Amino acid sequence: MAALAALSATNVLLLLELMPLTAAFSWTFQSAPTQCQNLSISISGGGTPPYSVLIIPSGSTPFTNGTEVRKIISKQFSSDSVSFQLAYPAESQLVAVVSDATEFGSGGASAEAEVVSSSDSSCIDASKSVNPNWFLNLDPSNQLVQCTASRIWWTESDVSGTPFFFGIIPGGDSFVIPESNINTTSDTGTGFSWTPNVREGATIHIVGNDNNGNGTGGSSRLTVGQNLQNDNSCLNNTSPSSTAGTPAGGSYPTDTSGDSTGGSSSSSNTNVGAIVGGVVGGVIGLLALLLVFYFIRRRSKQNRINNEKPVDLLQADEGDERPHRPGEPPEYYRPDPFIVPDPTVDESSASASARPLSSSDRPTSRSGTPDLASTSTGTRKTGAPRILRPINIIQHDDAGPSEAGGNKEEEAETIELPPAYTNIRK
Ligand SMILES: *[C@@H]1O[C@H](CO)[C@@H](O)[C@H](O)[C@H]1NC(C)=O
Ligand SMILES: *[C@@H]1O[C@H](CO)[C@@H](O)[C@H](O)[C@H]1NC(C)=O
Ligand SMILES: *[C@@H]1O[C@H](CO)[C@@H](O)[C@H](O)[C@H]1NC(C)=O
Ligand SMILES: *[C@@H]1O[C@H](CO)[C@@H](O)[C@H](O)[C@H]1NC(C)=O
Ligand SMILES: *[C@@H]1O[C@H](CO)[C@@H](O)[C@H](O)[C@H]1NC(C)=O
């Protein structure tokens, strides 16, 4: 536990060192967002007043019947802090974006923060869902794809003035979605085309605003989809992204299990001993991780080697069940006992008696010698059992290298059978 804490402290310190703070100023939640309690946000490090904070719901409603009670909260303030009641139920999530007068999102966006429960539920009325003044729509609906144009549209009669839209990446960049060539079509109302220059996989909230206020058009949470053509031509170093490092907002819970973002509020009173201990712990932890990784790699490499079979062309194949002694070629290369039928007897009846000899222990189709039973065309007749004379074919292979060339195969093959030495009188 202590090692883990040290590790995460190191990470925070390293990140703080490595990541230049992109925001012009910083802001923090003065306490964890809590159901029906005041949420206070304070500004530090400058910025140009007036400031504004936008709180948007994230994730699904905690009510199993699907009732959504969370309204987008938008507040303007000129001092360096603001406090307002958070009418969000416990176990729901929110994302907060703080801006100064220069630019939307200049203070950065928080990660998805978890609302902590409290005994006060007076601000929650779960009997009915809340609705925005108007609805922002997407075409294709509920879908954004990296570098692919989507249409953002609304119903002209519902809005006040010309709507504008925010794109908010939790724990990352926030921006005003550029609008151009607004037109009206019969099926997709009034709107414009936007090509999201946001990398696939990023979570993004789109928030609709009009002259009546920020967030009046509701918000939509989407995951940027993969471009099937792998088009990333719209992306460059300045494209909005989920900025690596500590998200804005300081320390606050991000899920029900009590995990939280790395707190910068506590770092001011961290003493040197804790920092050194943290660094040492972190380095040891990193080394241990690398070692574990190395051994896993080694193990899997070893397994691969063990699983590799040496290539042996003479190795018996799967169907070869006849055992063979060392020095003897595998079955496929062994000459078969060749059964010469008695020419005086009808061939068709040979199948009955000749087959068991050849097919009992090997597939006939693989035989290098002609299978008389399968080539016979005569009709089956009943007759005396054929008398078979067993003869062995021996292929002599001591005559030098065999002749190469496929055209030889066309010629009729001549098999020369040596005299049956067994017949020679002693
Ligand atoms: C909550 O904030 C409001 C101002 O937004 C203030 O009037 C009220 O007293 C605060 N409540 C508590 C409990 O701090
Ligand atoms: C709405 O957002 C814009 C852009 O950040 C900001 O200038 C304005 O003050 C906000 N309005 C309110 C009522 O917060
Ligand atoms: C939804 O469920 C909550 C409690 O889980 C309940 O208070 C509320 O009345 C329900 N809303 C509707 C519309 O049924
Ligand atoms: C409206 O604009 C979109 C792109 O912004 C375009 O594809 C469409 O053809 C336009 N429709 C009309 C009716 O002008
Ligand atoms: C990055 O792309 C945006 C458009 O997506 C463009 O406006 C900007 O100039 C580009 N920046 C660089 C450094 O290429």
Side-chain angles (χ1 to χ4, degrees):
M1 213 44 219
L4 256 174
L7 195 61
S8 66
T10 316
N11 288 346
V12 170
L13 285 169
L14 284 175
L15 288 171
L16 287 178
E17 265 171 45
L18 295 175
M19 304 292 165
L21 272 176
T22 45
F25 60 93
S26 61
W27 61 273
T28 48
F29 289 118
Q30 290 302 89
S31 57
T34 308
Q35 166 180 293
C36 296
Q37 300 299 297
N38 275 4
L39 181 63
S40 297
I41 283 171
S42 69
I43 306 284
S44 60
T48 313
Y51 305 99
S52 65
V53 56
L54 186 70
I55 309 271
I56 54 173
S58 183
S60 52
T61 171
F63 298 113
T64 48
N65 55 20
T67 310
E68 180 58 85
V69 299
R70 296 171 292 174
K71 284 182 178 170
I72 295 174
I73 302 169
S74 174
K75 297 278 179 197
Q76 262 182 314
F77 56 104
S78 293
S79 62
D80 57 7
S81 74
V82 65
S83 184
F84 50 90
Q85 192 187 39
L86 183 66
Y88 279 27
E91 290 177 23
S92 65
Q93 285 88 42
L94 60 83
V95 173
V97 186
V98 178
S99 318
D100 70 353
T102 59
E103 198 186 359
F104 172 69
S106 48
S110 74
E112 297 184 327
E114 177 89 7
V115 178
V116 175
S117 66
S118 76
S119 53
D120 185 357
S121 59
S122 60
C123 66
I124 310 285
D125 174 13
S127 64
K128 61 179 191 331
S129 283
V130 295
N131 277 320
N133 298 2
W134 55 277
F135 290 95
L136 75 87
N137 304 283
L138 285 172
D139 180 45
S141 60
N142 293 320
Q143 185 184 327
L144 279 183
V145 175
Q146 167 187 303
C147 298
T148 304
S150 279
R151 182 172 168 87
I152 297 180
W153 63 276
W154 58 90
T155 304
E156 186 63 38
S157 56
D158 294 348
V159 301
S160 163
T162 302
F164 56 103
F165 301 86
F166 298 146
I168 297 163
I169 300 175
D173 294 320
S174 305
F175 54 97
V176 179
I177 294 174
E179 285 176 31
S180 60
N181 304 324
I182 293 176
N183 65 15
T184 304
T185 66
S186 54
D187 52 344
T188 57
T190 306
F192 61 94
S193 167
W194 175 51
T195 302
N197 56 336
V198 179
R199 198 168 290 279
E200 68 181 43
T203 298
I204 184 170
H205 293 260
I206 297 180
V207 179
N209 319 286
D210 71 356
N211 287 355
N212 285 332
N214 292 352
T216 48
S219 69
S220 185
R221 181 182 188 267
L222 301 139
T223 300
V224 178
Q226 184 190 6
N227 187 306
L228 292 181
Q229 281 78 45
N230 289 321
D231 180 3
N232 56 9
S233 57
C234 69
L235 301 174
N236 63 25
N237 290 344
T238 61
S239 303
S241 66
S242 49
T243 325
T246 317
S251 180
Y252 45 91
T254 50
D255 61 33
T256 41
S257 65
D259 287 343
S260 64
T261 59
S264 54
S265 54
S266 61
S267 65
S268 53
N269 48 24
T270 316
N271 59 41
V272 179
I275 293 173
V276 171
V279 170
V280 170
V283 167
I284 289 171
L286 198 71
L287 276 176
L289 254 168
L290 282 173
L291 261 170
V292 166
F293 186 66
Y294 171 75
F295 278 113
I296 288 173
R297 286 268 312 236
R298 232 177 81 127
R299 160 91 46 96
S300 63
K301 199 173 168 188
Q302 199 63 47
N303 284 346
R304 261 207 313 280
I305 288 168
N306 290 345
N307 289 340
E308 275 169 5
K309 283 182 184 168
V311 180
D312 183 356
L313 295 176
L314 281 183
Q315 191 62 249
D317 48 26
E318 312 290 59
D320 193 346
E321 274 144 25
R322 194 193 292 178
H324 63 276
R325 289 180 293 277
E328 191 185 7
E331 187 221 14
Y332 190 88
Y333 301 94
R334 265 178 243 150
D336 254 14
F338 181 52
I339 314 300
V340 177
D342 189 331
T344 59
V345 185
D346 172 54
E347 279 196 343
S348 67
S349 63
S351 58
S353 52
R355 262 230 189 256
L357 271 173
S358 63
S359 66
S360 60
D361 59 354
R362 62 172 300 166
T364 53
S365 61
R366 222 173 54 179
S367 170
T369 55
D371 185 344
L372 295 172
S374 64
T375 54
S376 74
T377 51
T379 52
R380 187 173 292 268
K381 284 182 207 159
T382 51
R386 177 212 302 257
I387 301 140
L388 298 173
R389 187 162 58 94
I391 295 176
N392 283 339
I393 293 182
I394 297 167
Q395 181 173 6
H396 294 275
D397 54 5
D398 52 0
S402 63
E403 212 170 338
N407 53 349
K408 284 281 174 196
E409 285 169 4
E410 325 281 306
E411 297 168 19
E413 198 184 349
T414 308
I415 300 178
E416 288 196 17
L417 299 174
Y421 297 105
T422 48
N423 292 351
I424 296 171
R425 210 186 302 158
K426 284 172 190 152

